[in-house]
Amino acid sequence: GASVGQYGTLVHFGGVLGDYFSKLLRDQTPPHILLACGAAAAISSGFGAPIAGLVFAHEVIVRHFSLKAVAPILISSIVAHTFSAEFYQINPLFETKIGGISEFYEIFLLGILGILSGFIGSAYMKGLTFNLKIPKKIPVFSLPIIAGAICGITGIFLPELLGLGTDTIRLLIDKPNYFGYILILLIGKLILTVICIRLNLFGGIFSPALFIGVCTGSIFAFITGIFLDVNHSLFAVAGLAAVTSTVIGGPISALLIVFELTSDYNVALGAGISICFANLISSKIF
């Protein structure tokens, strides 16, 4: 029920398993590659995105593309995906008929959305990492309780802000909603996630980034839709991808995740424009 994600914890879990196997086997495979294998397997099974898991491990964990690492990481990713598919029905998380860029001016709008997403993503990361001074009178063990109480009170009025928010993300992708409502969701999710993470209510930051990104894209599409005819779903997914790419520090991984989550090649192309501009901005700020 907290305003945190599950994918970051999956990656953590996978990485720990990889590190454990490295210590257990003591073979010629470098430890960081086995750690990356665990992270790739987690992304592959959690998202149902084996190729994105492969690239994520290289881009975010290994930090470079290595031929020596491709084989073990790819095998781990594919095996994890196949194993999960045997037990769970894995469908694209945000599979919907979206469509790609249909008008030339949408290219420029996607670039502007990327710039906006870069600022939003940077604000989110700053909130997660700024120096938080907690009074010594407050016991450490009570911090998650405080965060939980804040989540509970907020959930009475805005239950959409609690949990992963997958249903709300699908809703915002499929059709536009009220501008004020989406703006409240954006600000509320950003603040509530920062409160949860900073007060030690354990969870991931990836799912909230998806939520914040889709709200950013929806707001932008709502505003531009007043003046121009735009594809709301395309901009919602582009915002989702752009903000998320800045948070995980993996633009190519985010592009592939969008492709595998939507099963729509044209959407991934449009989102790629926003991802480029978002990372250009966030790399200068954060």
Side-chain angles (χ1 to χ4, degrees), residues 1 12 40 48 78 90 143 165 172 178 185 196 211 216 224 243 247 275:
H12 185 190
I78 292 174
I90 298 180
L143 296 179
L172 292 177
Y178 298 110
L185 289 183
C196 288
F211 192 101
T216 303
T224 54
V243 172
V247 174
I275 288 173

Side-chain angles (χ1 to χ4, degrees), residues 15-31:
V16 168
L17 282 178
D19 185 63
Y20 173 75
F21 272 93
S22 173
K23 291 180 172 62
L24 182 69
L25 300 176
R26 298 184 182 277
D27 63 0
Q28 298 301 314
T29 305

